[in-house]
Amino acid sequence: MTVTDWVGLPSTVSWTTIGNVGSPHRATVDRRGLLTPWPGGWSLDWWVGAEDRWHLPAVEAAVRQRLVADAPVVETAMRVPGGDILHRAYAVTTAPSDGGVEMVVVQIENATPVPVALALAVRPYNPRGRARIERIALVGQTTVTVDGAVSLVLPRPANRAAGSTARDGDVATPVLAGEAGPDFPQSLRCEAGSASAAFVYPLPHRATLTFQVPLAPPARPRFRGLGRRTASPAPVSPSSVPTADQVANGWKAHAGRGVRLVLPDTRLTAAVEANRRFLPLLLHGSQRRSSRGGALVLGALDRYGYRDDVAGALGEDLDHLALHAIAEHWRLHRDVSFLEGAAPAIAAAAEQLARDRSTSEDGAGEEGLWRLRGLLDAAEVLDALAEPGGAADARAHAARCRSEVKAGIEAGTIDALTACWPLRLLSADDHLVTATVTAMRDGLGEGQACIDAATGEPGFSPFRTLQLAHVELELGDRRALERLDWLLGVATATWTWSTSIPSGPEGERAGEGHDGVVAAAMLDVVRDLLVRETSDGGLALCSLVPHDWLGQPVEVHDAPTHHGLVSFAIRWHGDRPALLWELAPHDGTTAVRITAPGLDPSWSTTELRGDALLAAVPAPPGFTAEPQPDVAATPVRLSPRRTT
């Protein structure tokens, strides 16, 4: 086996996205700390020479990963004799005085009591496969260019360096053999596009080295021959680069503007907190805001209270596929100023949908379902804009489209499930939906996961599993909790999911390595578990209660709903839950029936605020809840924010 064989391509497609809010530029960090600064580009690897041998994260067993404070700050720890070497990667935008540059910061810390050697390697591949590098150059001793573009800023000149091409083999060969030299090659070119380089440093005990990688990809040239371009050095003072903890605190402040949750399940809490931070990053890239997947990501962001983020993303570019996100934004926030500003684009999108319906031969299928949803949403927002003519036209087209779509849906197909969630065109108890639920349960693989028969992707589908969970949740079926538990169990250490999950130890993940649609669907399941609009126009709090939550406090603050901002808390008097709630309704909202089916199916109210001692919740056989203080000893203040 050659060095390239065992240092080469990752065996599974799985990664964590990092970036800056409000920017389209994204980097990825795979499960071993391999950094790819932009999709399809080259990658930055790291190797550690310890007392015994060189340790390579790609093949070492003792590699762990986590997020710092649930933020898109990825820490990868590799065990070597004496302790851990820590690799942290996160995105920042430098201060205006430093040019306002977007970059990824890579910090590598020696947390052991002995010195080690560190090699940082520029490599012609990424988690998806091979990448092309024709030339690597060192400019001014600390600036590394890849194909003429500044790609890596070193903290100081490297002690030793090595470069290689396709003819010479992988750059790991000279580095691991101790043959890296004091000087980097003057002219490192590879017409085959397989140039690689490594820069070696001593890393004393308890010391940290910081490297900088520009985040924005270079402009695409029309032809090959990238090595003919030149670039000037662009270093940034290390003193101006924020630390990992500072960046994590910034993400915490951003997340704090939305819904606040207090849940008994620490694992679920970590997954929710991480993914509500990821969603703003996942709007860009593969889940574009104009796609159906983008609409799901925007909807989840909106339901978690990030009104301004969603309005900004929608305001950049509206088309007919964005109508669902626009209408949901209106339903949740009654953002009149946004609708007024987007009125021309909304009207044009509605007209486009009507033309598509009239000319399309495909009345059913996913395309037809989204077309119908868009027409219904167009009618609603045009009504809100006081455009009765346009609303009436959209509603008339929707009526004709509905009959076509309903006739085209077959019982037991994924289309019926999609019509129920996320599109809310069919109720969960519709016979078309229940037939699909039965068929999916009959075809379940291991545990509670679903395959995706519609796409034929290998392995299990987190998204289809969550679709099923949404329907079961609405039906009050506790199997929804088993789907959610499965999902948490197959998450990566950084709470991400690929489009498909391997069905066995030899299986590979497919699709997106960090799928924003799965993240959005997971957040929506948790949100609907806690706060859900019902088909009869009401609000359901705690539709299902996991057994481990019995006797434990639960709080939800400032959750946007179609009726207004809702907050509630649960405390316990023995086996009886005490529910405190407050709804700050939208202007013009009539009486809303509030229920708590997972706690007391017999209870309901139309009061905007209050407290109630509900009926005892029967515990499962053999379950004993942890004793909790009386509700009077743990008061809760419910004070929904009126703005976001």
Side-chain angles (χ1 to χ4, degrees), residues 296 417-424 463 466-467 470-471 521 524 528:
L296 297 180
L417 200 70
T418 299
C420 181
W421 191 90
L423 298 182
R424 305 295 187 189
F463 180 71
L466 288 166
Q467 275 191 294
H470 270 286
V471 176
D524 272 340
D528 285 357

Side-chain angles (χ1 to χ4, degrees), residues 397-576:
H397 280 288
R400 290 188 288 271
C401 187
R402 183 184 291 276
S403 61
E404 297 165 1
V405 167
K406 190 75 179 283
I409 297 177
E410 296 182 10
T413 64
I414 289 296
D415 286 347
L417 200 70
T418 299
C420 181
W421 191 90
L423 298 182
R424 305 295 187 189
L425 298 171
L426 296 176
S427 63
D429 58 1
D430 187 287
H431 74 281
L432 294 172
V433 179
T434 56
T436 298
V437 169
T438 299
M440 292 183 73
R441 287 172 179 164
D442 290 344
L444 288 178
E446 298 176 11
Q448 300 301 319
C450 304
I451 62 172
D452 193 343
T455 64
E457 293 282 4
F460 299 125
S461 169
F463 180 71
R464 296 302 183 196
T465 303
L466 288 166
Q467 275 191 294
L468 179 57
H470 270 286
V471 176
E472 291 171 330
L473 178 61
E474 189 171 335
L475 292 171
D477 190 322
R478 295 188 66 84
R479 280 175 283 194
L481 300 176
E482 298 174 8
R483 318 272 180 234
L484 183 58
D485 185 68
W486 171 83
L487 187 82
L488 297 177
V490 298
T492 67
T494 55
W495 298 113
T496 71
W497 295 272
S498 53
T499 303
S500 69
I501 303 296
S503 55
E506 302 300 322
E508 292 194 3
R509 298 167 188 252
E512 286 294 314
H514 185 177
D515 196 319
V517 172
V518 176
M522 184 278 295
L523 288 172
D524 272 340
V525 165
V526 176
R527 185 266 190 184
D528 285 357
L529 181 72
L530 297 166
V531 179
R532 177 175 59 86
E533 293 87 358
T534 61
S535 58
D536 61 1
L539 276 176
L541 311 179
C542 290
S543 292
L544 295 171
V545 179
H547 294 319
D548 290 346
W549 292 18
L550 297 180
Q552 304 292 327
V554 176
E555 295 180 25
V556 175
H557 297 268
D558 309 315
T561 74
H562 295 178
H563 306 289
L565 281 177
V566 68
S567 298
F568 73 89
I570 301 169
R571 296 295 186 264
W572 295 82
H573 289 282
D575 60 356
R576 296 186 66 182

Side-chain angles (χ1 to χ4, degrees), residues 13-19 26-30 67 71-72 74 127-128 271 274-287 297 492 494-500 509-520:
V13 181
S14 180
W15 58 76
T16 303
T17 302
I18 58 177
R26 300 290 175 261
T28 63
V29 182
D30 85 348
L67 297 177
V74 183
R128 290 186 181 275
N275 280 278
R276 66 193 291 176
R277 290 160 172 78
F278 283 136
L279 275 198
L281 305 180
L282 298 171
L283 276 175
H284 298 274
S286 61
Q287 313 300 343
V297 173
T492 67
T494 55
W495 298 113
T496 71
W497 295 272
S498 53
T499 303
S500 69
R509 298 167 188 252
E512 286 294 314
H514 185 177
D515 196 319
V517 172
V518 176

Side-chain angles (χ1 to χ4, degrees), residues 7-18 27-37 42-47 56-60 63-67 73-77 87-89 104 106 123 125-129 492-494 496 509 513-514:
V7 187
L9 297 172
S11 61
T12 59
V13 181
S14 180
W15 58 76
T16 303
T17 302
I18 58 177
T28 63
V29 182
D30 85 348
R31 292 183 294 171
R32 298 305 180 112
L34 181 76
L35 170 70
T36 305
W42 54 271
S43 293
L44 192 66
D45 210 346
W46 58 296
W47 309 324
L56 288 78
V59 295
E60 294 291 333
V63 175
R64 311 177 311 282
Q65 200 168 68
R66 72 180 186 103
L67 297 177
V73 178
V74 183
E75 180 181 272
T76 308
H87 174 288
R88 302 183 189 95
V104 175
V106 176
R123 317 209 59 205
Y125 67 76
N126 56 60
R128 290 186 181 275
T492 67
T494 55
T496 71
R509 298 167 188 252
H514 185 177

Side-chain angles (χ1 to χ4, degrees), residues 290-317:
S290 59
S291 71
R292 294 162 192 157
L296 297 180
V297 173
L298 284 166
L301 271 173
D302 245 342
R303 285 182 281 275
Y304 274 78
Y306 302 115
R307 167 179 170 170
D308 293 340
D309 297 66
V310 173
L314 286 170
E316 294 172 8
D317 182 23

